[in-house]
Amino acid sequence: MKFSTLVEEFRGGVLENIHAGIVCGVNDRGEVIYSSGDEMHIAFLRSAAKPFQAIPVAREKIDEKFGLTSREAALFTASHRGEVYHVEALESLLAKTGIREEELLTNPTYPLNEEPKFACLTQGVSKRRLFHNCSGKHLGFLALSKERGYSTHDYYEMDHPAQQEALTAFAEMAEYPEEQIQLGVDGCGFPVFALPLKHLAIAYLKLACPDLIEDEEMQAAVVKITGWMTENPDIIASHNFTCTALLEDPNIIAKGGAMGVYGFALKKERISFSLKVIDGSEQVWPLIIASILTQINYENQETIQRLHDLVPTEIKNDNQLVVGEKRAVFTLEPR
């Protein structure tokens, strides 16, 4: 198992922390063209799987059948943060689909972002299933199950037909045998996939380059899904988050997952990257991705700057004094 040191953190000139992991880049022939660490390392996708899990929902044209807006449909791929605009779109989804909030498996919670969470606490608003950051994905599967006549009480079980369809679609996108995809249970109760990072990068490349998808229905579904994401970057996460910063660039399709896994692809360049931070940190994603884009001479400097604005290299203490720095230290090895 080969990892690379991706980011080092210094305080007072002393190395305090390192974040090790793997970065893999592939081209539109599915070949590894850049790597740092072992690209065959198996990682759980966590929420980086959401664009692929939405494929059965998009294939069934759930957005059209229920009259959903692009912002509402984007929630099927989102890890939302419970902002007012997220909740408004989620409540509209409930109303249009006829789904009751009690049908969601998601555990009642408060919004993840501090401002809406504080508003709930000060206004006496109770925890809600809808506030869970995966509620959009769950609503998509419930709507799909209702439309298809599937059972809804077990929509999250691995042997449910909607889940099986999502697994099959993802295996095809990743060019990886379905029976070899390892399965676990995600934080929200959904099945979660694990496979080599190389194949996660291949799957993300097809999000950016749908012409690589042979099945016409799946290709149309992917075009729809990535359209939702590109048109609504703030829905996919929220302000001051990596996914939103990347999706504001129309050339990029991107989505992260818990415990440090990330996938993104560049449409014009027809290359994609997957990465895993082994300690599970998400805080260093912007540094790592900015370094990747810089190393491949990505032309959109505004995107790179947005990432640096999210996580400056300077480390400041509680008094806003500079006390250290963070450095992305890996080198992409051409293959």
Side-chain angles (χ1 to χ4, degrees):
M1 194 176 295
K2 180 185 175 185
F3 305 138
S4 295
T5 299
L6 301 179
V7 174
E8 294 178 340
E9 298 183 13
F10 292 83
R11 184 177 299 268
V14 176
L15 179 63
E16 185 174 37
N17 297 306
I18 65 168
H19 300 278
I22 304 104
V23 176
C24 171
V26 302
N27 63 16
D28 60 3
R29 293 184 296 279
E31 301 165 338
V32 176
I33 55 173
Y34 298 108
S35 65
S36 186
D38 180 11
E39 68 267 12
M40 295 307 291
H41 174 77
I42 293 174
F44 278 111
L45 274 65
R46 306 297 295 271
S47 286
K50 285 177 177 172
F52 309 105
Q53 290 170 310
I55 288 174
V57 180
R59 288 180 82 158
E60 188 61 27
K61 300 180 180 179
I62 292 299
D63 59 326
E64 298 174 32
K65 291 179 178 178
F66 288 97
L68 306 181
T69 66
S70 174
R71 285 180 73 75
E72 291 161 353
L75 286 161
F76 297 149
T77 71
S79 296
H80 75 81
R81 306 289 301 185
E83 292 290 336
V84 170
Y85 54 85
H86 290 128
V87 178
E88 288 176 348
L90 287 162
E91 289 180 333
S92 181
L93 263 177
L94 286 178
K96 289 181 177 180
T97 60
I99 295 169
R100 293 175 293 106
E101 188 166 347
E102 295 73 25
E103 295 182 78
L104 292 165
L105 174 68
T106 49
N107 196 46
T109 186
Y110 286 120
L112 289 178
N113 275 3
E114 287 300 318
E115 187 172 337
K117 179 180 179 180
F118 182 75
C120 287
L121 292 171
T122 55
Q123 296 168 20
V125 177
S126 299
K127 295 179 179 180
R128 295 181 63 179
R129 296 178 188 274
L130 215 60
F131 290 155
H132 193 287
N133 72 323
C134 294
S135 59
K137 174 180 68 176
H138 285 249
L139 283 169
F141 272 70
L142 277 167
L144 173 65
S145 297
K146 286 178 180 290
E147 183 65 22
R148 292 261 185 89
Y150 297 154
S151 59
T152 56
H153 69 278
D154 59 348
Y155 71 93
Y156 51 85
E157 296 288 355
M158 189 62 247
D159 59 358
H160 191 278
Q163 296 290 350
Q164 286 294 309
E165 188 176 340
L167 174 61
T168 299
F170 175 62
E172 185 173 336
M173 291 283 286
E175 298 181 9
Y176 197 71
E178 183 176 333
E179 64 276 9
Q180 291 183 30
I181 294 176
Q182 299 184 42
L183 301 172
V185 179
D186 213 336
C188 68
F190 253 47
V192 60
F193 315 140
L195 82 175
L197 287 168
K198 172 186 174 181
H199 291 273
L200 175 57
I202 289 172
Y204 263 86
L205 183 64
K206 292 180 181 177
L207 293 179
C209 304
D211 59 287
L212 298 172
I213 303 170
E214 293 182 3
D215 183 280
E216 290 184 2
E217 278 192 5
M218 186 179 294
Q219 183 182 110
V222 165
V223 169
K224 181 173 284 191
I225 290 165
T226 55
W228 297 336
M229 297 172 72
T230 301
E231 292 164 15
N232 305 281
D234 58 334
I235 289 288
I236 305 305
S238 77
H239 53 282
N240 297 328
F241 278 85
T242 306
C243 290
T244 298
L246 288 172
L247 288 167
E248 286 175 353
D249 183 333
N251 189 48
I252 297 180
I253 294 296
K255 184 72 182 72
M259 303 310 295
V261 68
Y262 210 95
F264 71 96
L266 310 179
K267 299 175 185 178
K268 177 183 174 182
E269 293 78 4
R270 297 179 70 83
I271 58 176
S272 70
F273 291 87
S274 60
L275 65 94
K276 167 70 175 178
V277 183
I278 293 301
D279 64 12
S281 174
E282 301 170 22
Q283 303 298 321
V284 292
W285 280 342
L287 282 172
I288 295 168
I289 297 170
S291 179
I292 291 170
L293 294 176
T294 299
Q295 290 186 56
I296 65 170
N297 297 314
Y298 187 57
E299 63 184 21
N300 193 335
Q301 292 299 310
E302 291 181 4
T303 298
I304 295 172
Q305 187 57 53
R306 276 199 304 274
L307 293 168
H308 283 306
D309 290 343
L310 285 178
V311 179
T313 56
E314 293 179 338
I315 296 174
K316 294 182 179 180
N317 70 359
D318 297 341
N319 297 318
Q320 297 303 300
L321 298 175
V322 176
V323 296
E325 65 174 331
K326 300 175 184 177
R327 302 174 187 166
V329 296
F330 67 96
T331 300
L332 290 176
E333 300 293 340
R335 296 284 287 275

